[in-house]
Amino acid sequence: MSRQAIAHPNIALVKYWGKRDLELNLPAVSSLSLTLDGFRTVTTVERSSGDAVFVGPARASDRFASRALRFLDTLVPGRPPVVVKTESNFPAGAGLASSASGFAALTLAAAATFDQDLSLQRLSAWSRRGSGSACRSFWGGFVVWDRGTRADGSDSHGHPLAPREHWDVAMVVAIVATGPKAVGSTEGMERSRQTSAYYEQWVATAEADVAEGREAVLARDLDRLGAVMESSTLKMHATMHTARPPILYWQAGTVACLHAVAGLRESGTSAWATMDAGPQVKVLCAASDAETVRDALAPHAAAVHVLRPGSGARLVP
Ligand code: DP6
């Protein structure tokens, strides 16, 4: 018995950073995201006589394998042994949300293999235990993840805001540097929470940012969405920069891209930057401006990808 699932990464437009419960992986703040096409993870889960995890054709590292298998143990205690095979068509661990598409695809394939007939909301809440941002990849287009208030986390999952067809935008991703990041998201969030003087303000202002982002998406107001998106990104990075020891994902190319985006706006193109836990810069713009944005970022980046709104995670029939 084996099942295969496909999921796409999502990029937060209003960011998730910080946890209110480490064990259940509950966020301190709500967030708003855009699911992307182009990049994807395909994962197969197959019942077997023993556990094994493969990334592409090769055995996964012990760290990767035990994170995936322990996650499956929390979902279905006493589960049967499985072979997991996963493959992504984009670099992992470089701030491109590989854990989002990875845990969304793993959750969906595993639930089907274990005969768990669950709603997308339940699957989303399950995937959150593996990696928070995964819970937003179950829907296409624009998705909100409510922080929720229940102690058991049952109200902390994604829900769709607007489908991919709602708005013809592009996310232009400038790859400034590849390779694994020095500080993982979970560690970075905890360090920010424990040591940054700005963390409290980050949490205090996040729900209003999500509310503004939602309104801007529904009104297809790019300037308004872009402004709150950049502000959310820079506030999030401010908590990292002011942590002890500080976390600085930015490279020289990162700053050059941010200036290029500001320059685009000065010359009349509505382009807005966001970043995650890594050096890459992702630029939101109208689909019709994507090539102009690509040309502006290309001199500062090793590669530039133009991605469009994508669909939600799904089982391969
Ligand atoms: C900066 O979902 O990778 O990309 O829940 O600890 O696995 P864990 O974190 P993860 O964090 C992503 C944080 C972010 C912003 C975002 O995607 O909202």
Side-chain angles (χ1 to χ4, degrees), residues 10 12 14-17 19 25 31 67 99 128 130-134 136 181 185-186 189 236 240 275-277:
N10 67 77
V14 180
K15 300 295 179 181
Y16 148 52
W17 192 253
K19 301 176 197 268
N25 206 26
S31 54
R67 188 173 174 196
S99 67
R128 188 203 71 231
S131 188
S133 52
R136 301 183 304 229
K181 51 193 169 198
S185 300
T186 304
M189 289 181 200
M236 176 181 79
M240 303 181 203
M275 296 173 57
D276 294 293

Side-chain angles (χ1 to χ4, degrees), residues 5-8 99-109 127 134-135 137-138 313:
I6 297 181
H8 300 281
S99 67
S101 53
F103 276 98
L106 178 62
T107 301
L108 203 50
S127 74
C135 81
S137 275
F138 284 82

